[in-house]
Amino acid sequence: MARRPRQASEGVTMTKKILTIGEVLVEFVAMTQGEGFGETQPLTGPYPSGAPAIFIDQVGRMGQACAILGRVGNDDFGHLTIDRLRDDGVDVNGIEIAPGEVTGCAFVRYRPDGSRRFVFTLAQSAAARLPATAHSDILIESCDHLHIMGTALTIPDMAALARSAVQRIKARGGSLSFDPNLRAEMLDTPGLREELAYMLTQTDLFLPSGDEIFLFSDATTEQDAVDDLLGRGISDIVVKRGSQGASHYCRDGRTDVAPLSVEEIDPTGAGDCFGGAFVALWLNGATPDIALRYANAAGAHSVTHLGPMEGAATKHQLDRLLAAQEINA
């Protein structure tokens, strides 16, 4: 049976267009817990995935005009991801379908303590390249805001395209949000630290998770790191803490949001959904407390579904989740 398209948020008017650049892939999740994939086991999937793809899917679900530049193979996995993003309101014209290449895959197995072990095929896939094209130039010119994740900066083509997009969008008065989204083993990628430092100089909204904020400051406390980064010209900082809630900082002060009580099934993609909801609302003038409240709900909604993109929610769904939390409080 064909999958029924999931409509974007009802009654939400968002006129600016958000662009992201990065990996589009599929994910398979092991149905048993343990260390890696050294033994035969059942899997569930494929699920559309890739941190930038999850982010932009949540943006689309919020009713925000949005697009992604990425690359997939001409295979079932590539078409699956494109169909999902299109159904959820994302402009997918910037996803190149590469003949003779394969779509990237991620295999995930959870350990008993909740941490994850990954096996990736990205380096051997279509996602390992993303050269600039005449079509990507046109798409960049149509967008008002750029969202970049650190994973995109680990691939030379993507990093170069991201730099060009930042310069062009900012030159037109647009804005940049930046989510480091880095695993520790990525930090030694040649040239990555320089790319991260450059992105930070252009950032308007910074969205680190937990201790990621200390990758960019020599401060030893969160508040000192925030003060350091605000002093460099960043206007807004959101520190994501997963099940511990989140905080928004700006020159006017600090806003906190407490975690929501939900049954966690799969935490993969929660931070990306949080970011998608926050950026969409922030970009369109929502106050920090409102944007933070909905972003927190988006992250919570995400973890209640198996699969990294399956829990992306419309604003109407987030309203229902927040209302239910108030009733049960």
Side-chain angles (χ1 to χ4, degrees):
M1 180 181 294
R3 180 176 174 274
R4 182 177 181 271
R6 301 189 298 171
Q7 300 302 313
S9 291
E10 301 86 350
V12 178
T13 302
M14 298 182 176
T15 58
K16 296 183 179 180
K17 189 171 184 178
I18 296 173
L19 173 68
T20 195
I21 299 170
E23 66 276 16
V24 180
L25 55 113
V26 294
E27 183 173 306
F28 294 86
V29 182
M31 297 300 290
T32 65
Q33 292 183 344
E35 290 290 336
F37 291 88
E39 58 189 8
T40 302
Q41 61 198 279
L43 301 171
T44 180
Y47 296 109
S49 190
I54 300 165
F55 166 87
I56 209 68
D57 192 76
Q58 177 61 66
V59 171
R61 294 280 277 158
M62 295 292 290
Q64 171 78 49
C66 59
I68 184 170
L69 287 171
R71 201 162 180 268
V72 298
N74 187 17
D75 53 30
D76 287 350
F77 295 161
H79 292 289
L80 172 72
T81 58
I82 289 173
D83 289 347
R84 168 60 63 84
L85 292 167
R86 182 190 295 114
D87 285 352
D88 287 350
V90 179
D91 179 347
V92 296
N93 290 314
I95 301 179
E96 178 185 352
I97 300 174
E101 299 183 45
V102 296
T103 301
C105 297
F107 296 84
V108 186
R109 192 179 189 193
Y110 284 90
R111 299 183 179 97
D113 65 0
S115 63
R116 295 167 291 177
R117 178 71 177 270
F118 289 93
V119 173
F120 290 103
T121 68
L122 295 185
Q124 298 79 30
S125 76
R129 294 185 59 243
L130 187 61
T133 65
H135 189 78
S136 66
D137 287 345
I138 292 171
L139 188 58
I140 290 168
E141 288 301 315
S142 74
C143 294
D144 309 283
H145 178 89
L146 179 66
H147 181 78
I148 290 295
M149 291 181 159
T151 50
L153 304 179
T154 65
I155 300 170
D157 281 350
M158 286 188 187
L161 192 57
R163 270 194 182 238
S164 174
V166 168
Q167 292 164 359
R168 293 164 62 183
I169 290 174
K170 296 277 286 190
R172 300 198 306 272
S175 50
L176 170 68
S177 51
F178 176 38
D179 183 342
N181 190 47
L182 291 168
R183 299 186 306 280
E185 64 268 23
M186 293 179 175
L187 293 174
D188 293 329
T189 302
L192 176 59
R193 291 184 183 274
E194 291 80 5
E195 294 296 340
L196 293 170
Y198 173 76
M199 284 297 157
L200 199 68
T201 67
Q202 303 299 309
T203 295
D204 300 287
L205 169 61
F206 186 45
L207 296 130
S209 294
D211 288 345
E212 280 183 339
I213 195 168
F214 298 112
L215 293 175
F216 303 89
S217 175
D218 293 330
T220 57
T221 69
E222 181 175 293
Q223 186 62 59
D224 286 345
V226 165
D227 291 342
D228 177 14
L229 295 170
L230 290 175
R232 299 187 212 174
I234 296 173
S235 64
D236 294 78
I237 297 172
V238 176
V239 179
K240 298 174 288 178
R241 303 191 186 89
S243 61
Q244 302 302 310
S247 299
H248 170 272
Y249 297 91
C250 65
R251 290 170 185 80
D252 293 332
R254 170 175 175 168
T255 303
D256 297 308
V257 64
L260 299 182
S261 177
V262 296
E263 180 183 358
E264 181 178 294
I265 295 174
D266 183 0
T268 302
D272 307 321
C273 287
F274 179 108
F278 189 92
V279 172
L281 292 165
W282 173 86
L283 186 62
N284 287 277
T287 58
D289 59 324
I290 294 297
L292 201 60
R293 183 167 176 260
Y294 277 99
N296 193 48
H301 190 277
S302 172
V303 307
T304 63
H305 293 69
L306 180 62
M309 202 181 286
E310 305 310 300
T314 65
K315 188 172 181 292
H316 178 65
Q317 289 173 311
L318 299 180
D319 283 332
R320 288 190 300 180
L321 174 59
L322 289 166
Q325 291 283 321
E326 290 176 0
I327 291 172
N328 295 326

